Amino acid sequence: MSDSKIESILHEERRFEPSAAFTANANVSGMEQYRQLCQQAEEDWQGFWGDCARREMDWDKPFSTVYDGSDAPHHKWFNDGELNISANCLDRHLSTRGDKTAIIFEDDAGTTELWSYRQLHEAVCRFANGLLAAGLQRGDRVIIYMPMRPQAVVAMQACARIGAVHSVVFGGFSAKSLEDRIQDAGAKMVITADESVRGGKAIALKATVDAALSACSHQVQTVVVYQRSGAPVAMQEGRDVYWHDFSDHQSTDCPPVALNAEAPLFILYTSGSTGKPKGILHTCGGYLLGSILSMRWVFDYQENDVYWCTADVGWITGHTYVCYGPLAVGATQVIFEGIPTYPHAGRFWEIIAKHKVTTFYTAPTAIRSLIKAGADLPKQHDLSSLRILGTVGEPINPEAWMWYHEVVGGRRCPIVDTWWQTETGSNVIAPLPGAITTKPGSCTLPLPGLFAAVVDEQGNDVGNGEGGYLVIKKPWPSQLRTIWGDDQRYCDTYYPANIAGGRFYVAGDSARCDEDGYFWIMGRIDDVLNVSGHRLGTMEIESALVANPKIAEAAVVGRPDELTGEAVVAFVVLKGERPTAENATALMTELRDWVGKEIGAIAKPKEIRFGDNLPKTRSGKIMRRLLRIIAAGEEITQDVSTLENPAILEQLKEKIG
Ligand code: 7RM
């Protein structure tokens, strides 16, 4: 927790109240109504969630219990109820919104394709029948490694329709990362494409899948290949099949199976503080409820909205706010295959104007890079359709917030800064735009029914302005259920005995509340990095570095970066001598490329420093806290006597090459 962060936050005095016009039409209209919802949830917690679940979702079999905590922290919601997620996202709209546009797809080159709810439903049914014909059964795991196209949503929805469990792996991940996830999930099938095309560049997907599978001891039975670019790819007889051969001849009738509310819906891998990624498991009923309610509360979803969340389906934001939430409420949404800067730096603004987007949800890192690419560019486009702007992934600095508000939103649009995690499933702390006054840099107040707080180790609320552990005191429907294959790690990570005696969900972030009860997120408690909104475990990058034959030891920390939020700085101990100024540059390039290959470009260190050792405690633990100070170029003022080798700090301060 850095002091400077607390400083800059304390000086933020700006306030932005919702306009009377916005409040008048909002789903939650004014503070009074927000307080009422919170109070209902407080007074009758189960009644509140039960009413929401009955009102918002179609159940094949109604539930009789709302919450079952008999095996806590293994929470069960709506446990004896049955439903199908795909039916809730598609079938239930057919009679009223069959011809409504579900997806406005814009590809990398700028060609637009419209998918109505009926067309999307048909595509999902055909593909789901393909899955059944391939022998996929309830509970089987499917890896999805796809470009950002409607077909990715089709594949996910089709899995949900038959009760298969999808695990989407971001299309930028390396063969090694993909292999780990295929192995850990024990996947029967991989759904991929020949290539993805972003910013005019093709990225091989099928070849990467082949590399992952050849290294993988686990046997994958089927690989489905969507032809995105038509580039030739190797097809393995008996295993690989093209999407069109798999799906096009199938019937458009595929009855959704009624699944238990607690049946698994998906696994999504996220980096932890150790090298092994965590497979976050979400289940059907509670997860969908969280996505729907936040669409209504935070995005104030209205029937004529055109919604655009820019997240890739490889991240949780792309699950909840592309694949499930918008479809469950019957929204029209934009899906964009490309990147914000291609073919020009105004691409996002052009898309908003072209499709008359009303609700725009993106990451602070994208906002910062768009400011850099051209702070005045939004003015060249008609952005008057916008009515709500959202951010997610990391704290947004007040300057970027103000730019977003003034230049993109024309001072007219509330900004919803949404704090949540892969683990929470949907928004937890975020302004309800027709009710809550915003302050730049704060994600404001918890959603109704979400008992977020900042506590000390004993679990007592800390005073206003004091940093502490961000926790959620009561279970909520859309939270993760476990870590796939490692339930003990689930308990230890999220209900650790050393914080509040394991009574509360511990998010792993530090935060503070101001005098109005507004939350200000201060960062991660552990060492996980956040680069461009992507969570990267230090250990994952360190393990990759140490896998290089030249490296003996490595420690990775984050350093603040204007563009990406945090940049990766690696401290490396070579097996041989420390490099000289002459050969350091070439070695850094080699090691960066190595990390890119092992994990993906996002994890490449921006800076590499070489030392004869790393600062360690006497029990041998690396003190990353000190490395962070060095990486930031600041002076170490704290006591270093607990170090085994304090002299090493001087050496690590030197930059070579
Ligand atoms: C949705 C997502 C989760 C971590 C979380 C925080 C950070 C996310 C905000 C934020 C400040 C925000 N899932 N984080 N949103 N920090 N303000 N609005 O990002 O699992 O990938 O990351 O991201 O540290 O714990 S995630």
Side-chain angles (χ1 to χ4, degrees):
M1 303 178 191
S2 89
D3 287 351
S4 62
K5 246 184 198 162
I6 298 172
E7 274 307 298
S8 68
I9 286 162
L10 285 175
H11 291 140
E12 183 53 65
E13 296 291 339
R14 288 169 288 203
R15 305 280 181 274
F16 297 87
E17 272 179 48
S19 72
F22 192 99
T23 298
N25 295 312
N27 292 335
V28 178
S29 183
M31 221 33 201
E32 179 104 1
Q33 206 187 337
Y34 165 71
R35 294 275 180 227
Q36 263 170 22
L37 287 167
C38 293
Q39 202 183 332
Q40 278 168 24
E42 242 159 85
E43 286 168 2
D44 179 9
W45 179 66
Q46 297 213 22
F48 173 79
W49 286 118
D51 287 348
C52 289
R54 277 182 289 265
R55 183 182 70 233
E56 297 289 357
M57 285 141 79
D58 282 1
W59 294 87
D60 294 303
K61 178 177 169 246
F63 52 88
S64 61
T65 353
V66 173
Y67 171 74
D68 174 2
S70 56
D71 189 25
H74 302 103
H75 311 292
K76 295 189 184 72
W77 288 89
F78 322 119
N79 191 212
D80 59 349
E82 289 178 3
L83 81 170
N84 183 279
I85 299 302
S86 160
N88 271 276
C89 291
L90 301 170
D91 304 50
R92 69 163 160 167
H93 302 310
L94 293 181
S95 61
T96 49
R97 301 185 181 93
D99 296 321
K100 182 177 176 178
T101 300
I103 295 171
I104 301 170
F105 174 57
E106 176 149 332
D107 77 3
D108 191 56
T111 309
T112 300
E113 200 178 275
L114 301 181
W115 293 54
S116 69
Y117 270 89
R118 200 179 318 283
Q119 287 168 316
L120 183 60
H121 176 262
E122 282 181 16
V124 168
C125 287
R126 279 192 215 278
F127 199 81
N129 278 323
L131 296 176
L132 291 170
L136 226 62
Q137 294 177 352
R138 282 185 199 194
D140 285 345
R141 275 83 57 210
V142 176
I143 295 282
I144 298 177
Y145 186 65
M146 290 278 282
M148 187 58 187
R149 294 178 66 88
Q151 285 77 16
V153 173
V154 169
M156 293 162 82
Q157 287 280 346
C159 287
R161 196 163 185 91
I162 68 159
V165 181
H166 61 70
S167 183
V168 184
V169 177
F170 175 58
F173 273 147
S174 68
K176 182 74 180 72
S177 306
L178 185 58
E179 177 203 332
D180 288 347
R181 286 153 178 76
I182 292 168
Q183 186 82 34
D184 189 83
K188 260 198 184 168
M189 182 184 283
V190 176
I191 302 168
T192 189
D194 45 9
E195 297 182 322
S196 70
V197 182
R198 298 182 81 213
K201 290 199 203 81
I203 302 149
L205 294 180
K206 175 61 164 63
T208 308
V209 169
D210 289 341
L213 289 180
S214 65
C216 197
S217 63
H218 170 78
Q219 204 61 37
V220 164
Q221 289 168 9
T222 314
V223 177
V224 182
V225 185
Y226 173 73
Q227 284 184 298
R228 161 61 181 91
S229 67
V233 291
M235 295 292 281
Q236 194 182 103
E237 186 73 42
R239 187 194 72 181
D240 301 354
V241 54
Y242 282 115
W243 177 291
H244 56 265
D245 293 330
F246 181 83
S247 160
D248 285 5
H249 65 282
Q250 295 288 350
S251 154
T252 56
D253 180 29
C254 179
V257 295
L259 294 166
N260 186 274
E262 283 297 336
L265 176 63
F266 66 83
I267 300 165
L268 183 59
Y269 286 90
T270 176
S271 302
S273 49
T274 70
K276 196 173 177 285
K278 298 182 281 192
I280 304 300
L281 181 77
H282 281 285
T283 56
C284 292
Y287 172 78
L288 192 70
L289 182 59
S291 3
I292 294 174
L293 289 173
S294 48
M295 284 300 297
R296 299 211 192 286
W297 288 341
V298 179
F299 297 105
D300 188 48
Y301 172 68
Q302 314 268 339
E303 188 64 40
N304 294 324
D305 277 343
V306 177
Y307 182 87
W308 183 22
C309 165
T310 66
D312 189 277
V313 288
W315 314 114
I316 188 67
T317 310
H319 282 58
T320 310
Y321 299 108
V322 177
C323 183
Y324 293 110
L327 295 179
V329 298
T332 295
Q333 71 172 318
V334 173
I335 292 183
F336 174 47
E337 184 181 38
I339 57 172
T341 49
Y342 177 86
H344 55 81
R347 186 74 189 269
F348 271 11
W349 321 127
E350 185 181 73
I351 293 176
I352 291 171
K354 184 168 159 191
H355 303 300
K356 303 202 165 32
V357 170
T358 61
T359 314
F360 180 64
Y361 191 29
T362 196
T365 183
I367 297 169
R368 282 193 292 269
S369 69
L370 287 167
I371 295 173
K372 199 168 172 232
D376 284 333
L377 280 179
K379 293 181 181 148
Q380 297 174 12
H381 302 269
D382 176 8
L383 305 183
S384 60
S385 57
L386 286 171
R387 64 180 203 95
I388 297 180
L389 299 173
T391 78
V392 59
E394 51 189 325
I396 179 164
N397 48 306
E399 274 42 66
W401 196 103
M402 287 306 299
W403 179 84
Y404 202 26
H405 174 71
E406 288 172 357
V407 184
V408 181
R411 298 198 167 87
R412 185 183 71 245
C413 309
I415 293 184
V416 292
D417 174 350
T418 61
W419 180 88
W420 60 296
Q421 307 176 293
T422 304
E423 294 87 340
T424 69
S426 48
N427 296 170
V428 174
I429 310 174
L432 276 48
I436 296 172
T437 295
T438 54
K439 305 181 186 181
S442 168
C443 50
T444 76
L445 301 171
L447 270 57
L450 281 138
F451 298 91
V454 181
V455 303
D456 60 20
E457 253 151 54
Q458 287 68 47
N460 301 314
D461 289 8
V462 300
N464 285 347
E466 269 178 61
Y469 297 97
L470 179 58
V471 300
I472 305 172
K473 290 185 170 179
K474 276 174 184 262
W476 69 101
S478 70
Q479 74 184 101
L480 81 164
R481 295 302 190 261
T482 189
I483 293 173
W484 179 259
D486 200 347
D487 187 60
Q488 192 57 48
R489 190 173 177 199
Y490 161 75
C491 299
D492 296 346
T493 307
Y494 303 108
Y495 291 90
N498 62 335
I499 300 171
R503 286 175 293 142
F504 304 148
Y505 171 87
V506 175
D509 279 8
S510 57
R512 65 177 192 90
C513 284
D514 67 17
E515 63 286 358
D516 299 318
Y518 278 44
F519 286 73
W520 300 80
I521 307 298
M522 293 161 73
R524 298 292 296 165
I525 288 162
D526 59 20
D527 294 314
V528 174
L529 312 185
N530 197 329
V531 181
S532 301
H534 304 316
R535 256 169 102 184
L536 304 171
T538 53
M539 274 301 291
E540 227 180 348
I541 308 173
E542 289 165 5
S543 316
L545 281 165
V546 177
N548 183 290
K550 291 182 183 159
I551 296 179
E553 237 183 337
V556 160
V557 298
R559 180 190 73 189
D561 187 279
E562 229 183 49
L563 204 63
T564 54
E566 273 192 318
V568 179
V569 179
F571 292 83
V572 165
V573 181
L574 293 179
K575 282 182 182 156
E577 298 262 313
R578 284 172 76 202
T580 59
E582 285 78 52
N583 57 25
T585 313
L587 182 61
M588 285 184 204
T589 308
E590 183 189 327
L591 296 179
R592 273 194 208 105
D593 291 346
W594 171 271
V595 173
K597 190 176 109 287
E598 289 283 304
I599 304 177
I602 195 92
K604 282 188 183 181
K606 190 151 191 177
E607 190 183 323
I608 300 179
R609 297 203 188 193
F610 298 93
D612 293 321
N613 206 338
L614 298 169
K616 288 177 189 160
T617 63
R618 284 170 210 279
S619 65
K621 285 201 187 75
I622 298 168
M623 298 274 282
R624 292 189 187 77
R625 198 159 38 91
L626 297 176
L627 292 177
R628 264 195 291 276
I629 296 170
I630 294 175
E634 291 164 9
E635 274 307 307
I636 297 173
T637 53
Q638 63 219 82
D639 182 18
V640 293
S641 61
T642 55
L643 281 186
E644 198 193 43
N645 47 354
I648 201 69
L649 296 174
E650 289 310 312
Q651 192 188 58
L652 292 172
K653 282 182 196 164
E654 294 170 33
K655 290 189 194 182
I656 312 174

